[in-house]
């Protein structure tokens, strides 16, 4: 075989290799999106909530956790007006003072049961801690996604949301549309990471 056919074959193989690398779906190409466990086709609708005007006119709030530190929040009255108004009322009434965190796992923390204040963490299950509230039911509002550091209202399978607040530690996209997301953490992420069941909330306040 002469030199010219060898060169032609080499050029052809090089072209094929370059084409394969270009369309291999490596990072930076227009490859198909990777599926996220628990993510549905509805997620796109909730993701648009991150860029619309529902986060405009945010108000500031903070949670002080005993022996841990302070978590700074933004609350979104345009996204969840009834919820934010009620949380504001509860804060002004010092409802959250001395309540304890009754749930904490890799996904979230949760507090806001008024019966937790004088209960020991080891007795939470027996006392039904996590099933009580202020007595004012709240509707599910808005379409903000349950992204990491989202602040929302917890509710039971058959009971409406009330005073119990959760904060996500990581995205929980399968919660989209099931819970009202009315704020997010903007400071004190390291405090959130350290919170455990039984930690005491010194207070929660809204700062206009």
């Amino acid at each position: 075989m002469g030199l010219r056919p060898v060169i032609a074959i080499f050029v052809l193989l090089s072209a094929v290799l370059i084409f394969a690398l270009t369309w291999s779906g490596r990072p930076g190409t227009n490859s198909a999106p990777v599926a996220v466990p628990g993510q549905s086709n509805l997620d796109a609708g909730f993701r648009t909530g991150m860029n619309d005007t529902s986060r405009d006119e945010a108000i500031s709030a903070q949670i002080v956790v005993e022996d841990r530190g302070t978590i700074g929040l933004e609350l979104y009255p345009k996204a969840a007006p009834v919820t934010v108004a009620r949380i504001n009322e509860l804060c002004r009434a010092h409802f959250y003072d001395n309540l304890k965190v009754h749930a904490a796992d890799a996904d979230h923390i949760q507090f806001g049961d008024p019966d937790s204040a004088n209960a020991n963490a080891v007795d939470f299950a027996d006392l039904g801690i996590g099933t009580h509230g202020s007595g004012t039911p709240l509707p599910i509002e808005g379409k903000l996604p349950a992204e990491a550091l989202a602040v929302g209202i917890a509710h039971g399978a058959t009971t409406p949301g009330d005073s119990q607040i959760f904060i996500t530690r990581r995205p929980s996209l399968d919660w989209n549309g099931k819970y009202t997301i009315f704020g997010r953490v903007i400071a004190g992420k390291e405090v959130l990471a350290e919170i455990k069941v039984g930690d005491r909330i010194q207070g929660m306040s809204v700062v206009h």
Side-chain angles (χ1 to χ4, degrees), residues 81-95:
V82 175
T83 299
V84 172
R86 179 56 180 163
I87 295 301
N88 195 5
E89 290 177 358
L90 292 173
C91 288
R92 290 204 312 268
H94 301 281
F95 175 86

Side-chain angles (χ1 to χ4, degrees), residues 80-87 89-90 96 134-141 152-155 159-165 180 182:
V82 175
T83 299
V84 172
R86 179 56 180 163
I87 295 301
E89 290 177 358
L90 292 173
Y96 293 102
S134 70
T136 300
L138 294 172
I140 296 177
E141 299 183 280
I153 294 292
H155 61 76
T159 55
D162 187 340
S163 58
Q164 291 190 36
I165 294 172
T180 296
F182 67 96

